Amino acid sequence: MNKINLETSINHHIAISAIMIKRVFYKILSNHDLKITPEQWVLLNYISESNGYTIGELSGLSVKDFANTSRMIQKLDIAGFITKKADPADKRISKLYLSKEGKDLIEQLHQCAFESTNIAIEGIDKEIQEIVLHTLKKVISNTNNYLK
Amino acid sequence: MNKINLETSINHHIAISAIMIKRVFYKILSNHDLKITPEQWVLLNYISESNGYTIGELSGLSVKDFANTSRMIQKLDIAGFITKKADPADKRISKLYLSKEGKDLIEQLHQCAFESTNIAIEGIDKEIQEIVLHTLKKVISNTNNYLK
DNA sequence: TTTATATATTTGTCATGACAAACAAATAGA
DNA sequence: TCTATTTGTTTGTCATGACAAATATATAAA
């Protein structure tokens, strides 16, 4: 039998790393008294980088389920960090923008993301970081191809 | 400002990889008609490796929240894959064992885990895999130290 | 134009993750 | 022994992930 050993499984360690990184990010956000989640931060970050993304576009960019993205956007909207502008040409869609509060928030979020990244990669050579990043992109592409 | 670029962020790519790997695992489990989740598989795997873990021990091993581990164990118990044996010396704890059904299941799960691992790491050199594994362990240790 | 299909989004449900609170049993201290 | 604290576990709540179904609008086909 092909028995998996979790202790030497890259898949498993990616999963654990992801959980731990998210916990650190949560902690840092909490330390900064920011009422936002790591997942919401990803969406806000994409919205801040371009004007007028739709929920569908954000869902694709952030690799999140369409339905869940829709709900997260609702929360960001209710919290007042984004504004939705209905598209006159297509009544199904809205385009998303950062509000003033969202713009203020995103500045602080970049700082939090910076802190959590530094904690995670502390003591890891730049060269190694490049190798790992490249390998993770390969993993993402492998899994993406399988799921297509 | 220290602006994070998600496209070159190791943290972000670890998160995305974890999501994609889980999707592949879900898909494979579904293909095999196995009514179990990737998270439950991790718990079952630990239970299969040693006799009589408690929920607390499993929670630590699997890096999962105690409360969530407790609920997942309830589900595995209800589904009939494990059995709980009350400890006569300490009435607070139960020790967990695989049932006959659980033992049958774990064989198939190893095969699924093997498949999903192969899909994820296809085309990645053994050497690189070692580097990535080692780096992920460093990330886990870094984040763990921060959260302590 | 009318109907069928495709697209964008929302809603519902169940499993899991984080976190706080409740509980019961075990253990330490007065 | 009795009380306080610790330990192991369970329950409650909210956010997210997966997935199915519903809804509304757009577009293509007849």
Side-chain angles (χ1 to χ4, degrees):
Chain A
M1 185 180 57
N2 297 310
K3 199 166 178 182
I4 292 290
N5 181 356
L6 292 184
E7 291 315 303
T8 58
S9 159
I10 286 188
N11 282 20
H12 184 62
H13 281 79
I14 288 174
I16 301 296
S17 301
I19 288 174
M20 296 300 288
I21 286 169
K22 194 176 291 185
R23 286 182 188 171
V24 168
F25 202 175
Y26 262 114
K27 179 81 172 175
I28 291 174
L29 289 170
S30 164
N31 289 347
H32 287 246
D33 278 319
L34 298 176
K35 299 270 183 345
I36 197 166
T37 67
E39 323 302 334
Q40 292 172 0
W41 137 252
V42 171
L43 293 184
L44 274 187
N45 188 51
Y46 279 114
I47 294 172
S48 78
E49 283 178 346
S50 172
N51 279 322
Y53 277 133
T54 65
I55 292 179
E57 287 167 340
L58 277 178
S59 164
L61 284 168
S62 63
V63 194
K64 289 180 190 310
D65 183 89
F66 204 120
N68 298 324
T69 305
S70 174
R71 269 179 286 238
M72 289 165 68
I73 290 297
Q74 285 173 25
K75 283 174 195 155
L76 288 171
D77 191 15
I78 291 168
F81 296 129
I82 62 170
T83 57
K84 287 173 137 178
K85 287 189 188 165
D87 185 332
D90 187 337
K91 291 180 184 173
R92 293 171 303 180
I93 62 179
S94 291
K95 296 189 171 182
L96 306 171
Y97 304 84
L98 283 190
S99 67
K100 171 75 175 62
E101 291 76 19
K103 282 176 189 166
D104 293 344
L105 178 63
I106 201 89
E107 300 287 320
Q108 297 181 268
L109 290 177
H110 275 300
Q111 183 57 36
C112 292
F114 185 69
E115 282 179 38
S116 73
T117 297
N118 286 344
I119 287 163
I121 66 178
E122 190 190 326
I124 299 170
D125 291 347
K126 281 276 174 205
E127 254 181 273
I128 299 291
Q129 288 181 35
E130 283 302 319
I131 292 172
V132 171
L133 186 63
H134 184 261
T135 308
L136 291 173
K137 283 178 193 283
K138 173 71 173 161
V139 167
I140 292 167
S141 132
N142 282 346
T143 48
N144 211 37
N145 288 337
Y146 174 78
L147 292 172
K148 259 196 294 227
Chain B
M1 185 180 59
N2 297 309
K3 199 165 178 181
I4 292 292
N5 181 355
L6 293 184
E7 291 316 303
T8 57
S9 158
I10 286 189
N11 282 20
H12 184 62
H13 281 79
I14 287 174
I16 302 297
S17 301
I19 288 174
M20 296 299 290
I21 286 169
K22 197 178 287 185
R23 286 183 188 170
V24 167
F25 202 176
Y26 262 114
K27 178 83 173 175
I28 291 173
L29 289 170
S30 163
N31 289 346
H32 285 248
D33 278 319
L34 297 176
K35 299 267 182 345
I36 196 166
T37 67
E39 325 301 335
Q40 291 172 1
W41 137 251
V42 172
L43 293 183
L44 273 187
N45 189 52
Y46 280 113
I47 294 173
S48 79
E49 283 179 346
S50 171
N51 279 323
Y53 277 133
T54 64
I55 291 178
E57 287 167 339
L58 277 178
S59 166
L61 283 167
S62 63
V63 194
K64 289 179 191 310
D65 183 89
F66 204 121
N68 299 323
T69 305
S70 174
R71 271 179 283 240
M72 289 166 67
I73 289 298
Q74 284 173 24
K75 283 174 194 156
L76 288 171
D77 191 16
I78 290 168
F81 296 129
I82 62 170
T83 57
K84 287 172 135 177
K85 287 188 188 166
D87 186 332
D90 187 337
K91 290 180 184 172
R92 292 172 303 179
I93 63 178
S94 290
K95 296 189 168 180
L96 306 171
Y97 303 84
L98 283 189
S99 67
K100 171 73 174 63
E101 290 76 19
K103 283 176 188 165
D104 292 345
L105 178 62
I106 201 87
E107 301 287 320
Q108 297 180 269
L109 290 177
H110 276 301
Q111 182 57 35
C112 292
F114 186 70
E115 282 179 37
S116 72
T117 296
N118 286 343
I119 287 163
I121 66 177
E122 190 190 329
I124 300 170
D125 290 347
K126 281 275 175 205
E127 254 181 89
I128 299 290
Q129 288 181 35
E130 284 301 320
I131 291 172
V132 171
L133 186 63
H134 185 260
T135 307
L136 291 173
K137 282 178 192 282
K138 173 69 173 162
V139 167
I140 292 166
S141 133
N142 282 346
T143 48
N144 211 37
N145 288 337
Y146 175 77
L147 293 172
K148 257 197 292 227

